[in-house]
Amino acid sequence: MLAWLDQYAGKTYGNFIQGEWLASKSGRTVPLYHAARKDQLLGYFADSTEEDVDLAVKAAHEAFKTWSRVPAPERSTMLLTFAGLLERDAKELAYMLSAEQGKTLAESYGEVGRAAKETRFAAGDALRIDGETLPGERAHVWNSTVRYPIGVIAAIAPWNFPVVTPVRKIAPALAYGCTVVIKPASNTPWATVKIMELLAEAGLPRGVVNLVTGSGSRVGDPLVRHPLVRGISFTGSTKQGLTINEIAGGRLARTQLELGGKNPAVVLDYPHLEYAAKQIVSAAFTCSGQRCTAISRVIVLQHQAEALTEAILKEMKQIKIGPAWEQGVNMGPLVSESHLESVRSYIEVGKREGARLRTGGEILTAGEFSNGAYMTPALFDQVTPEMRIAKEEIFGPVLSVIPVKDEQEAFEAANAVDYGLAAAIFTENLSSAYRYADQIESGMVHVNHGTASAAHMPFGGVKLSGFGPYSIGSSNKEFFTETKVVYVQYETR
Ligand code: NAP
Ligand code: MG
């Protein structure tokens, strides 16, 4: 990876508009540095403005006129080609992704593989854009519903999954016949450049997908406000999602919002604590805890709290921290110093609130660690549901154990947050499992495993975790298409 970076890093990238790489009208670029090699320049990226956004949206709007008429099986075939190209160039994509984001190479390969899988599901779904045919009220009338793509989609992505999140928005948009302008996070624009190249190589016509890089305020905001944008698929913070929804509501543009989480794992009289600990630790600390579906609260009956905490501590000892490319490393740095500072502040908050820090929370600065934002994974116990560390999204490697007296209290604690994205339960009691699935306020529920989702199932959250049709699965067509109802009187006698 390092040798590859020495050879390929440091170029200047423009925006991808109407099939061409164009410098920003601002004439400015911003440098991007390696997350685990602070002084290694990865590239210069266009520091775009409203003018660039307008060009890109107009290109997408023009391309929509023909792309929306391309037969769905042809769109599907292009997506299948694109999925193959993601796999062909997995190594390069993983290097770019690990360099800009920091996650380990194994995680990056996993992410690229997942992006290919989701693309193939979207390609298949292009062939299932179904409608209904219903009996007419009158004789000789044929009643049916037909779905049409809605138009230009603004795709706005965060920095934690720089390959799969853009693909999760672009692939279904194309499958259903929409066109796209993507704005990646400022921290992670590099892999998206490569995604544009692969889409072009897959044969996508000019203007169907466009990339504009730059800041949230100068690029994201005008993109959301652009009158020709018909749908906004946004993944990011709840705060930003609420603002976007207000703006979109003003012109009845659609939104698909994937927002924050504070995901619980409830453990009820579970006999396999080692297994539960493995599942919880993996779900809590993958991507250094910077996942919207990361488990951040463990809610356990008092009598098992200490045994489970011990099992989690034992499992956490398997975590080896280091840079992406190092053999045996399974946790990379956090994405940036400023994010590390925000996560670290919660260690202090937890201590002040009276929670007990059992391990972790230290900033690592010796040797190699001085080149990135490293922190040891933290575990608090004796946490109560009212504490801030039990309620607020930390988005880093910090896990809290909350002891409770019975099942009812466990479910109440699980629901006592503003979020509702993913939830797990570990139990061998069938009734408890179903009661939880029934009562938990969460978009996704996992019984007896962590919060890993599948590449063909709807993905989304309730409460402040999301809004609009879920992404990934068949639910996507509710976002990317609109319905027309057609009545045909085929006999007038
Ligand atoms: P964020 O600050 O909301 O940023 C997300 C994206 O919005 C970035 O591309 C950002 O651009 C852009 N943005 C910023 N200001 C904007 C504006 N005024 N108008 C339009 N776009 C704007 O979120 P983040 O800190 O990058 O990501 C972490 C958050 O994402 C967490 O809360 C996490 O839970 C959530 N997340 C949710 C899911 C899910 O599927 N539910 C998945 C992953 C992450 P800049 O980068 O240029 O600021
Ligand atoms: Mg932000």
Side-chain angles (χ1 to χ4, degrees), residues 133-301:
T133 305
L134 297 171
E137 273 192 339
R138 301 182 301 279
H140 313 307
V141 171
W142 194 305
N143 294 342
S144 41
T145 63
V146 190
R147 286 181 179 275
Y148 286 88
I150 62 173
V152 178
I153 301 296
I156 301 180
W159 45 258
N160 56 344
F161 287 90
V163 168
V164 88
T165 314
V167 169
R168 182 171 293 173
K169 299 177 186 309
I170 293 168
L174 302 184
Y176 300 117
C178 294
T179 57
V180 181
V181 177
I182 169 112
K183 187 208 111 51
S186 297
N187 280 325
T188 55
W190 202 21
T192 317
V193 166
K194 177 77 187 170
I195 290 170
M196 294 302 110
E197 291 170 356
L198 296 182
L199 284 165
E201 188 180 341
L204 208 67
R206 287 158 170 265
V208 172
V209 173
N210 306 273
L211 162 71
V212 184
T213 60
S215 79
S217 55
R218 285 191 304 278
V219 173
D221 184 66
L223 184 55
V224 168
R225 292 182 191 278
H226 202 294
L228 293 177
V229 166
R230 297 307 311 143
I232 299 145
S233 181
F234 169 83
T235 302
S237 60
T238 294
K239 184 170 168 279
Q240 201 52 58
L242 289 168
T243 307
I244 287 175
N245 209 49
E246 249 183 74
I247 298 168
R251 63 172 194 281
L252 300 186
R254 289 207 187 154
T255 54
Q256 176 180 59
L257 308 175
E258 307 280 6
L259 310 174
K262 189 70 190 173
N263 312 295
V266 168
V267 181
L268 291 179
D269 292 321
Y270 194 59
H272 314 293
L273 289 184
E274 257 180 48
Y275 166 80
K278 266 196 198 338
Q279 291 286 313
I280 289 168
V281 167
S282 162
F285 300 113
T286 296
C287 196
S288 308
Q290 303 164 116
R291 288 197 312 145
C292 55
T293 52
I295 288 177
S296 62
R297 300 180 291 148
V298 177
I299 299 166
V300 56
L301 299 187

